[in-house]
Amino acid sequence: MKKIFQIALGIVTSVGGFLEIGSITTAAQAGASFGYQLVWSIVLGTACVAFLVEMSGRFAAVSKHTIPDAMRERFGINFYVVPLFVLLGVSLLVLGAELGGVAAALEMATGIKLPIWAIPVALVSWGLLWRASFSVIENGVSILGLVTVAFAVGAVRLHPDYGAVLHGVVPTLPRRDASHYWFVAVSVLGASISPYLYYFYSSGAIEEKWDETYLAANRMIAAIGMGFGGFLSVAVLVIAAILFHPHNIDVDKYQQLPDLLTPIFGRTGFWLVIASLVIACLGATLEISLALAYLIAQGLGWNWGEDLEPRDDARFSLTYTLIVVAAMLFVLIGLDPLKLTEISMALTAASLPVGVFPFLILMNDKKYLQTHTNGYIGNAVVLVISLISAVLAIVSIPLEIVGS
Amino acid sequence: MHLVADVLDQQVLDKTGKRAGRVDGIVLEVREGKPPLITHVEVSPITLLARLNRRLAERYARWDQRLGKGRGVPFRIPWSRLEQTGKAWRFDTDAEDTPILALEDWLRVKIVERIPGG
């Protein structure tokens, strides 16, 4: 009974935690600019992240190691600094975008300018990290995140042509605007396959003391939770494809995001978008801050744990404090969260192999996983999708910059 | 046992089971006509930095020196006082009494405990 509850909770939190500023805006941009044609990028991204999350949970449950922990052990410090600095750099930008997402939602709700919200939002996020336990952060915020299911309800209410949506699952070459098409595809992939997510997941499994009896639950949580999460992203894309695409409206301002639901639900729709953004981006803010603090603390062998009092892991607590402050500066200086999102999602895609390759080596190491090493399918799916994403990103980022 | 695979970069735990850094370096004694002998492991940012960039390590060591007697050099644990548990290495002292947790303690007293809720 307890296991069933945990599986249910895990699925709910994965669904509630899936959407954030990256997946909402990139899916909306994909739908607005290219109709249903880019559904495949969400499907590929979701498949990849589901595999990665399953691996991450399995790795922690069997080896009792987090990913950063094992990476330092297995590859040494001279290698470890590479993923450390790449992930820190890229994820700090993503974190800036998430904090900006909360601030942008609050601006739309109150009319008070975005940079003014930077400090209060950072303070609330930090306060939660400082005082709340791991399960409050992981479960509380994610369950509230179920408000994002509103996008699925909205999409159904618009009576989309389901056959056409299914057609989009098959990757096709762009019919126009090729460089922008690939750039948006790459951003969607980067938004779905966030490295912080699967790195964070392994630390969560250790914080919650998983062992091998969790392997079946872990598989279900990864498949169903991530699957439903990807489904919500597709819903956002479908809404944008129906409401924006026929009128040639591109999504280039965050102020357009409420237009996803107001035509369907009226004023309630506006508040649903605001609530979705605030909760989803706040949840992502907490997860990314913790993920980066874990990355540093575990790599250096410090004491760490979100359930410890800050005084018992001073370096760890002060690390996430500094990380939140750094991300706050992006919002404070007035960087546009939507631009920051676009750039950080594309860079995430470009840097995927840096986090994924060493992780795959660990996942095939019998010293850590004994009989639970990866199968061919898992290896192939993750390797191919992350390579394709990175190559597409490296080609399309310069083209997008030249194009705009 | 393989020094690089099983000792270097592994987690160090103290007597109480607290995480106390990682094996940042291994000290070997080279003996004539006999195989080298492990005498100590080093747990120190100085050793860690030296593996990445020597100049950075020297700069850190100079700064560390100001913090008191016995500082400015890598902290060493005698090999005989380490015991392998799982993949980690446990040593028979409370890390609070060593320089390993000096920065942690300093941050706790000077900053964390002064912040509400810390």
Side-chain angles (χ1 to χ4, degrees), chain A residues 69 72 131 311 314-315, chain B residues 9 22 87 104 113 117:
Chain A
D69 198 9
R72 163 83 195 266
R131 287 310 307 163
R311 66 183 309 280
R315 287 175 294 190
Chain B
D9 291 307
R22 288 182 177 275
K87 283 184 75 79
E104 175 101 14
E113 287 184 342

Side-chain angles (χ1 to χ4, degrees), chain A residues 65 68-70 72-78 81 126 130-131 206 298-304 309-318 367-368, chain B residues 2 4-6 8-12 17-24 48 51-52 87 100-101 103-105 107-108 111-113 115-118:
Chain A
H65 279 66
D69 198 9
R72 163 83 195 266
E73 267 182 29
R74 175 74 164 72
F75 303 108
I77 189 70
N78 298 68
V81 288
W126 172 81
W130 196 254
R131 287 310 307 163
I206 296 289
Q298 293 163 0
L300 296 177
W302 299 348
N303 225 14
W304 58 273
E309 291 291 323
R311 66 183 309 280
D312 293 326
D313 52 8
R315 287 175 294 190
F316 175 73
S317 322
L318 289 174
K367 268 195 185 160
Y368 288 99
Chain B
H2 297 278
V4 175
D6 300 325
L8 193 64
D9 291 307
Q10 300 295 323
Q11 181 77 51
V12 174
K18 205 170 12 211
R19 294 186 186 91
R22 288 182 177 275
V23 177
D24 295 314
L48 189 70
R51 287 166 67 188
L52 296 167
K87 283 184 75 79
I100 296 174
L101 291 185
L103 179 64
E104 175 101 14
D105 291 336
L107 291 171
R108 171 166 64 224
I111 303 178
V112 171
E113 287 184 342
I115 298 172

Side-chain angles (χ1 to χ4, degrees), chain A residues 74-75 356-365:
Chain A
R74 175 74 164 72
F75 303 108
V356 165
F357 287 0
F359 178 49
L360 281 184
I361 295 177
L362 290 175
M363 287 309 301
N364 288 284
D365 190 333

Side-chain angles (χ1 to χ4, degrees), chain A residues 194-206:
Chain A
S194 318
Y196 76 82
L197 191 75
Y198 67 90
Y199 273 64
F200 176 82
Y201 197 77
S202 72
S203 299
I206 296 289

